[in-house]
Structure formats: C-alpha cells, structure tokens
Amino acid sequence: MTEPITPEPTDEGDSDIAATDAAEEDEEELDPFRDDDPTLQGLRNINSLASWTVSTHKPTCGVSALLSPAPHTYWQSDGPQPHTLTIHFFKLVHIAKLRILLDFRKDESYTPTRMQFLAGTGHHDLCEFGGWEGQQPVGWQNVPLDGCGVGGGRGLRCFLVQVRVLENHQNGKDTHVRGVQIFARDGRVSQREDESDVESDSSGMEMLEEEEAPGKKGGAKGKSLFDLKGLGGLDEPDWMRDPIVR
C-alpha cells in the first residue's frame, strides 16, 4: 500500500504577499497627501489659488489628472519640447516650497531628467530662478528656492510660475508628471505660536506678582521692601532700616 504524497510547501503565497506589500509601499511613497513629512510643518498648500494650464496634453491626461490626489494619474504632453506648465496666481504669493512628483519605475522614457523654472508677475517678465536635473527619480522632487528671496533669502514672491520640461529619459518625446504642489507659510500656525507666547508671558508675570506679594505684605508689617540679600548677599544699610526710638 503506497502512502499518499504530501505536496511540498511553496513560497508562492509568501512571494505574493511580499509583492503586495511592496506595491503598497510604492503607493505610500508616492501618496501626495502624506502628512508625515517634517518639512511640511507650518506650511499650507496653495494650489487652489492659481489657474493651471499646460502646453499640450493627451485626452484625460491634462491639468485635472495632474492635480488629482491619486498618484497613478499624470499629465502627459502631446507636442514638441519644451513642454510647459504655467501656474498663474490671482494674487501675489510667497512660495516657501515647490515640489514635483515623478516615478521612473512606471514612466521610464517619459520621465523628465532636466527641468527649468521661471517666475514673474506675468508672461512678459518671466525670469529663471532655478533648475532641476536627475536620473531615474522616484517620489517627490524638491525644487531649490535658496537665494530667490529678497537679499538672497529663501522663498519666492511672484504671481506666475512656469515649469519647462527640457529633456526626458533616453531622449523621450512626451513627458509624464504625476503631481505638483506649491506651499506657502501658514499664518495660522504663526498666530497660534504668538498667542502661546503671550499666554506664557502673562503667566510669567502672574508668577512674578505672586513672588512679590509676600514682600509687600512684609512691608505692611513695618519691614523694609528692599531685600538686598538676594542681590549678591549684601546686607541692608543702617539708613534704610526702620527708625528706632531711643
């Protein structure tokens, strides 16, 4: 009588789980709404304050796909280089952070490798303020803003920002950009910090008044209000003491 053959365990299930975990990690890495980035503390997204236009785009791959919160949507150009993205704000803004979402693993030859950034009050006075170059980028790419502010400070004041994609990986023709986010300083955060500073100062004054209160009570009993012993251990001079009847 032959014994039943037991199939040997395989690692297919484990490999499937590992692949799923890796895919989830990739999606998390490209999630535009990640709130665990410490560099975003004290900033707020101002994408909604601007009008967005692109030079060309494939059907269903225009501005709405670029600004979609889903990382699998993207803007795909459909024309000659350079491909341009123009962001026109309806008021003067102070940009503190600008970043672009790219994914070489999915886009390959559609991935930008060299970009140019310009800003101004309109199309007539655009000036280049920075550039970016990279090979096989994955995730959010920060655009350097050092030296763009007044006196060489960090930050950018403008009405209009333009992104120009000059080159793609392996000289690809069209481009894929999966997201763009622009941030400004959040005045509400600084206001809360100022209010907390005022509260701490007022509490400090209350504590100081409470410490001075015993001295004032002592003065009412005929003691001197000046305590020079707390200032380096000096004794109170005779002429400052209470008069003595002799």
Side-chain angles (χ1 to χ4, degrees):
M1 182 175 180
T2 59
E3 297 180 357
I5 299 175
T6 303
E8 296 181 357
T10 61
D11 297 335
E12 293 182 357
D14 296 340
S15 62
D16 294 341
I17 295 174
T20 303
D21 294 341
E24 291 178 355
E25 291 178 358
D26 294 342
E27 293 297 327
E28 290 179 358
E29 183 179 0
L30 297 179
D31 184 5
F33 288 107
R34 287 184 58 185
D35 57 357
D36 57 347
D37 188 352
T39 62
L40 299 182
Q41 297 297 325
L43 303 179
R44 63 186 181 97
N45 192 311
I46 57 173
N47 283 9
S48 60
L49 301 181
S51 173
W52 298 65
T53 57
V54 293
S55 55
T56 58
H57 67 87
K58 293 282 189 181
T60 70
C61 294
V63 172
S64 58
L66 173 67
L67 300 180
S68 172
H72 61 270
T73 61
Y74 50 82
W75 161 48
Q76 179 176 347
S77 62
D78 186 20
Q81 293 178 346
H83 309 297
T84 61
L85 165 65
T86 304
I87 309 161
H88 199 164
F89 293 93
F90 69 85
K91 67 177 183 178
L92 181 66
V93 294
H94 187 186
I95 299 174
K97 187 179 183 65
L98 171 62
R99 63 180 188 173
I100 297 181
L101 184 62
L102 305 175
D103 190 357
F104 171 77
R105 298 168 303 181
K106 297 179 180 178
D107 300 330
E108 297 182 348
S109 63
Y110 291 90
T111 307
T113 56
R114 188 163 71 94
M115 293 183 288
Q116 182 185 33
F117 301 92
L118 303 95
T121 60
H123 291 275
H124 60 283
D125 63 351
L126 287 177
C127 297
E128 181 179 359
F129 68 87
W132 177 91
E133 292 186 9
Q135 296 293 330
Q136 303 182 3
V138 176
W140 288 106
Q141 310 299 315
N142 294 319
V143 178
L145 298 178
D146 296 332
C148 297
V150 179
R154 192 176 189 279
L156 177 66
R157 290 183 178 272
C158 61
F159 280 91
L160 189 144
V161 176
Q162 189 173 85
V163 181
R164 295 180 181 176
V165 180
L166 304 180
E167 293 181 4
N168 291 329
H169 183 71
Q170 295 179 347
N171 296 323
K173 177 184 176 182
D174 292 331
T175 191
H176 283 184
V177 176
R178 294 182 173 267
V180 177
Q181 288 185 340
I182 302 178
F183 297 91
R185 298 291 177 188
D186 192 349
R188 296 169 297 182
V189 175
S190 59
Q191 183 178 2
R192 287 195 295 267
E193 292 177 353
D194 295 340
E195 291 176 355
S196 63
D197 293 340
V198 172
E199 291 178 358
S200 62
D201 293 342
S202 61
S203 61
M205 291 296 295
E206 292 176 357
M207 294 178 62
L208 182 60
E209 291 176 356
E210 291 178 357
E211 292 177 356
E212 292 178 351
K216 294 180 180 179
K217 293 179 181 178
K221 295 180 180 179
K223 296 183 180 179
S224 175
L225 299 178
F226 299 92
D227 185 10
L228 298 182
K229 293 183 179 180
L231 302 176
L234 298 176
D235 293 332
E236 193 176 44
D238 295 339
W239 60 270
M240 294 182 63
R241 296 177 182 175
D242 295 334
I244 300 176
V245 179
R246 299 178 184 230

